[in-house]
């Protein structure tokens, strides 16, 4: 797993993809921090992360699109699968590398908050709540993106599918407005955005953490099964 | 070393492998021969654990690929049809990565250097894999298979894309490796199999249609023990004379090949050598015998016969019949 993690992370930054994604996230961070600064209140720093949430939906599919589809297209998956490593190890290696890129971008995005914090007194609970929430949301989306990438040889298809899923999970609770209470509850239970909400209020929601971590474990598990099932096709 | 029993693989309704069984002893070089799409790569992919068989089992050194995949994969160095190379890495980085991936424990720097020298890629060690020529890529692929010095090497068309000089080098390398490795290689180049392998398995349409040394295959399949002779002298008289020679069962003329020289196809009974009789006949009649050759097939002809449907059916029947007889005997 470590060999794959190392290689994948390297390869993100050997090709422009890693730099473009990190750069795009940091550019947007800069833009929103600037807007926040104009309000003159460090309280709103946390809202930067909430705004970033929408943009991450676009950038995460770009990070994950190549994970398995590229390997399959270049037939390098033959080297991975015929090596004495478990399929689960391969999946987690790829997952952690993709998450690593996102993690790097989000963590650097924290720097302006720290700089601002040295001049004022932002609500750190809110800032770190948002930061943690973004990472958890990111991890869940990355695992879904990696799974979708394992279904296709085309990176474009993988990216669009992942984007579609993240939009779906985002808007799912606004389309249930007219439906019965049970449906509304069920939907808000699986909605990524309602799971994210507690963090934006600085609440460390254990159930949300467990929810996101479960999504990661489940999707990585399905991806591993998917790779194994390909052997039988 | 490698036991393959009753492998069957279907892709939808298409049967890629149909009850393929064979075994390979330790330290031998076995060649898979067959036209495109015959099932060579599928067989190799199943042995290495990349694909699973619908039926049947594969064991390598007593370990089943299904039950102990990690054990088996450690024993095998695999070069797939398309070398699994990462184009964005240098040769050094790529081999480092494969070294870690395969959990090799030999001293890293020294081991990788040795392999590079062996397949002659030292001069491109620091170049990007994506920028290498096809021949070099192929050799990096072979280097990758050799990492960790696995006792079994499975090479799917190892010399594709190489120039003639490199082909000879790689063949010699494989021959040398065959001294202390078990090697399975596939090819559709017959001379290659003939030059390198001690044993040939001919696969066609997912079945093994022949199995033996390259020479034995040529001998076995020439069903008719026919001789072609070239004799100087009047056609009619010699034809009549030949018919009366001891043991000759059939003669017919193939026409004039040189001025006054005719060629004849002469057939004798199974297992009987009629060459001396023919020579004696010619010298007795003062008709110079200018050439004599047997119609024993070359490997190329064997291959065409085995893989050509028109020929394949009667031959297959014969083979199967022989196999059955062999079992009961």
């Amino acid at each position: 797993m470590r060999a794959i993690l190392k290689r994948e992370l390297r390869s993100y930054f050997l090709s422009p993809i890693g730099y473009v994604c990190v750069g795009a996230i940091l550019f947007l961070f800069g833009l929103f921090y600037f807007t926040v600064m104009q309000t003159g209140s460090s309280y709103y720093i946390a809202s930067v992360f909430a705004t970033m949430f929408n943009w991450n939906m676009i950038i995460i599919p770009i990070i994950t699109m190549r994970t398995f589809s590229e390997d399959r297209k270049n037939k390098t998956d033959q080297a991975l699968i015929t090596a004495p490593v478990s399929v689960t190890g391969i999946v987690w290696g790829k997952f952690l590398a993709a998450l690593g890129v996102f993690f790097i971008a989000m963590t650097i995005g924290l720097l302006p908050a720290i700089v601002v914090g040295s001049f004022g007194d932002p609500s750190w609970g809110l800032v770190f709540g948002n930061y943690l929430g973004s990472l958890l949301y990111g991890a869940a989306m990355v695992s879904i993106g990696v799974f979708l990438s394992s279904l296709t040889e085309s990176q474009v298809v993988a990216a669009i599918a992942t984007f579609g899923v993240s939009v779906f999970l985002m808007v799912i609770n606004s389309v249930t407005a007219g439906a019965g209470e049970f449906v509304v509850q069920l939907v808000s239970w699986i909605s990524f955005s309602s799971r994210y909400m507690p963090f934006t209020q600085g609440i460390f929601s254990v159930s949300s953490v467990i929810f996101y971590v479960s999504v990661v474990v489940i999707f990585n598990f399905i991806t591993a099964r998917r790779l194994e099932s390909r052997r039988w096709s | 070393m490698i036991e393959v029993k009753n492998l069957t693989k279907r892709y939808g309704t298409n049967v890629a492998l149909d009850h393929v069984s064979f075994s390979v002893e330790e330290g031998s070089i076995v060649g898979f021969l067959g036209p495109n799409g015959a099932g060579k790569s599928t067989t190799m992919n199943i042995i290495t654990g990349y694909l699973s068989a619908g039926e049947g089992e594969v064991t390598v050194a007593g370990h089943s690929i299904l039950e102990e995949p990690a054990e088996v994969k450690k024993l095998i160095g695999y070069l797939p049809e398309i070398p699994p190379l990462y184009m964005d890495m240098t040769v050094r980085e790529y081999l480092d990565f494969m070294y870690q991936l395969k959990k090799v424990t030999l001293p890293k720097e020294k081991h990788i250097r040795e392999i590079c020298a062996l397949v002659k890629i030292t001069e491109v060690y620091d170049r990007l894999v994506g920028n290498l020529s096809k021949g070099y890529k192929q050799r990096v692929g072979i280097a990758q298979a050799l990492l960790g010095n696995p006792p079994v090497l499975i090479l799917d068309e190892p010399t594709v894309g190489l120039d003639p000089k490199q082909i000879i080098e790689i063949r010699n390398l494989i021959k040398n490796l065959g001294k202390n490795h078990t090697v399975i290689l596939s090819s559709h180049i017959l001379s290659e199999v003939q030059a390198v392998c001690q044993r040939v398995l001919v696969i066609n349409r997912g079945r093994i249609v022949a199995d033996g040394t390259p020479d034995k295959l040529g001998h076995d399949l020439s069903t008719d023990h026919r001789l072609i002779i070239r004799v100087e002298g009047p056609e009619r008289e010699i034809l009549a004379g030949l018919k009366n020679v001891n043991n000759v069962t059939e003669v017919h003329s193939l026409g004039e090949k040189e001025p006054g020289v005719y060629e004849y196809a002469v057939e004798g009974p199974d297992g009987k050598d009629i060459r001396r009789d023919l020579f004696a006949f010619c010298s007795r009649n003062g008709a110079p015998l200018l050439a004599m050759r047997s119609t024993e097939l070359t490997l190329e002809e064997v291959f065409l016969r085995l893989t050509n449907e028109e020929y394949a059916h009667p031959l297959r029947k014969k083979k199967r019949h022989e196999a059955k007889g062999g079992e009961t005997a």
Side-chain angles (χ1 to χ4, degrees):
Chain A
M1 186 185 90
R2 264 181 55 204
I4 292 172
L5 168 62
K6 240 169 77 184
R7 197 215 82 81
E8 287 291 309
L9 207 52
R10 254 183 106 98
S11 116
Y12 272 116
F13 292 102
L14 284 171
S15 72
I17 284 192
Y19 291 104
V20 167
C21 290
V22 172
I25 289 177
L26 293 184
F27 170 76
L28 293 165
F29 260 118
L31 197 67
F32 299 136
Y33 272 117
F34 176 70
T35 324
V36 165
M37 287 306 101
Q38 287 186 321
T39 65
S41 163
S42 61
Y43 176 78
Y44 293 109
I45 284 181
S47 72
V48 170
F49 281 90
T51 324
M52 280 306 293
F53 185 81
N54 297 313
W55 293 95
N56 290 341
M57 284 178 12
I58 301 169
I59 291 164
I60 288 173
I62 297 171
I63 299 177
T64 60
M65 65 181 185
R66 54 182 289 285
T67 40
F68 280 104
S69 50
E70 194 185 37
D71 260 332
R72 196 172 174 202
K73 195 165 191 177
N74 296 340
K75 308 271 178 205
T76 40
D77 59 336
Q78 287 196 315
L80 300 183
I81 289 174
T82 58
V85 280
S86 67
V87 188
T88 314
I90 298 172
V91 173
W92 279 92
K94 296 235 176 207
F95 164 78
L96 289 176
L99 183 60
V101 175
F102 184 68
F103 174 79
I104 290 168
M106 294 312 280
T107 307
I108 299 177
L110 210 54
L111 284 179
I114 291 164
V115 174
V116 173
S118 66
F119 294 105
D121 188 20
S123 166
W124 288 116
L126 278 184
V127 173
F128 284 109
N130 272 286
Y131 171 70
L132 185 68
S134 312
L135 284 185
L136 286 169
Y137 166 79
M141 274 323 298
V142 166
S143 68
I144 293 174
V146 168
F147 168 65
L148 290 170
S149 175
S150 76
L151 296 182
T152 169
E153 265 183 42
S154 157
Q155 298 192 23
V156 177
V157 171
I160 292 173
T162 312
F163 179 63
V165 169
S166 59
V167 169
F168 175 74
L169 290 172
M170 190 71 207
V171 300
I172 189 169
N173 45 356
S174 53
V175 296
T176 54
E181 196 180 332
F182 172 73
V183 179
V184 172
Q185 257 184 6
L186 179 79
V187 163
S188 89
W189 193 81
I190 60 165
S191 161
F192 273 34
S193 64
S194 58
R195 286 287 175 184
Y196 179 72
M197 278 310 150
F199 295 105
T200 63
Q201 292 148 11
I203 300 166
F204 184 81
S205 160
V206 178
S207 70
S208 288
V209 172
I210 293 174
F211 172 78
Y212 281 128
V213 171
S214 313
V215 170
V216 169
V217 172
I218 289 168
F219 271 92
N220 283 359
F221 177 78
I222 306 177
T223 310
R225 296 292 80 77
R226 160 69 193 150
L227 289 184
E228 245 163 36
S229 77
R230 204 188 277 156
R231 295 175 54 200
W232 299 92
S233 62
Chain B
M1 193 71 180
I2 302 169
E3 287 280 347
V4 173
K5 275 185 216 139
N6 273 324
L7 275 197
T8 301
K9 176 84 181 168
R10 292 186 184 84
Y11 294 111
T13 54
N14 179 20
V15 181
L17 289 181
D18 187 4
H19 295 95
V20 168
S21 301
F22 61 91
S23 64
V24 179
E25 307 86 56
E26 195 167 349
S28 59
I29 307 179
V30 173
F32 273 177
L33 203 58
N36 295 327
K40 293 173 299 204
S41 295
T42 305
T43 310
M44 293 184 149
N45 277 333
I46 292 173
I47 296 173
T48 54
Y50 180 66
L51 292 177
S52 295
E55 287 164 42
E57 62 171 323
V58 176
T59 53
V60 178
H63 301 287
S64 159
I65 184 74
L66 274 180
E67 280 148 31
E68 304 164 90
E71 285 302 314
V72 173
K73 286 169 184 177
K74 257 183 214 166
L75 297 173
I76 298 179
Y78 181 35
L79 170 71
E81 196 171 4
I82 297 164
L85 306 175
Y86 286 102
M87 301 301 165
D88 55 1
M89 299 172 109
T90 64
V91 174
R92 174 205 297 271
E93 287 166 349
Y94 174 70
L95 292 178
D96 269 9
F97 166 65
M98 290 307 293
Y99 175 94
Q100 286 172 17
L101 188 70
K102 292 185 168 193
K103 299 173 181 160
V104 181
T105 47
L106 299 163
K108 184 169 155 187
E109 197 66 22
K110 186 167 162 270
H111 181 55
I112 293 180
R113 283 280 170 193
E114 272 172 10
I115 288 174
C116 286
L118 206 58
V119 297
K120 300 203 169 66
I121 51 171
T122 312
E123 63 271 29
V124 295
Y125 195 47
D126 285 310
R127 280 177 59 187
L128 271 185
V129 173
N131 294 342
L132 297 179
S133 68
K134 195 161 188 290
Y136 272 118
K137 280 182 188 157
Q138 189 71 23
R139 285 194 267 176
V140 175
I142 297 173
Q144 163 274 125
L146 294 177
L147 277 173
N149 210 4
V152 177
L153 288 173
I154 296 189
L155 311 170
D156 201 347
E157 303 192 354
T159 55
V160 163
L162 303 178
D163 65 40
K165 188 165 162 275
Q166 294 168 343
I167 288 180
I168 292 168
E169 283 171 11
I170 293 296
R171 278 183 197 164
N172 288 336
L173 174 67
I174 294 172
K175 264 191 190 169
N176 280 330
L177 289 169
K179 286 173 190 156
N180 42 20
H181 292 73
T182 307
V183 184
I184 298 183
L185 66 89
S186 79
S187 181
H188 49 235
I189 306 165
L190 299 142
S191 56
E192 178 163 298
V193 170
Q194 208 156 15
V196 177
C197 303
Q198 295 140 0
R199 184 174 153 209
V200 185
L201 293 170
V202 184
I203 301 186
N204 189 37
R205 301 198 167 199
R207 286 161 171 273
I208 293 188
V209 289
D211 178 354
T213 63
D215 296 337
K216 184 172 167 287
L217 285 186
H219 182 74
D220 276 6
L221 283 161
S222 18
T223 45
D224 37 9
H225 304 283
R226 201 183 285 177
L227 290 170
I228 307 285
I229 57 170
R230 221 172 248 206
V231 184
E232 192 171 351
E235 185 184 12
R236 196 174 291 177
E237 277 171 40
I238 291 182
L239 198 59
L242 277 171
K243 276 180 184 157
N244 294 323
V245 173
N246 269 349
N247 289 325
V248 169
T249 53
E250 210 182 315
V251 188
H252 59 265
S253 171
L254 299 173
E256 192 172 16
K257 299 290 172 183
E258 290 168 51
V261 179
Y262 293 84
E263 208 166 71
Y264 307 90
V266 187
E267 213 168 310
D270 269 6
K272 191 85 186 172
D273 195 348
I274 55 170
R275 287 174 301 180
R276 284 171 193 85
D277 297 323
L278 290 174
F279 175 79
F281 163 78
C282 290
S283 69
R284 211 165 44 232
N285 291 289
L289 178 61
L290 299 179
M292 183 190 292
R293 62 186 160 89
S294 80
T295 54
E296 195 162 279
L297 299 172
T298 64
L299 196 54
E300 224 138 304
E301 287 164 321
V302 172
F303 180 70
L304 285 175
R305 281 200 152 190
L306 286 170
T307 54
N308 192 327
E309 276 307 291
E310 229 173 280
Y311 290 108
H313 278 303
L315 273 169
R316 254 192 224 158
K317 266 183 211 156
K318 182 173 177 282
K319 278 253 115 178
R320 257 186 244 155
H321 183 72
E322 275 178 10
K324 263 186 196 163
E327 270 166 24
T328 51

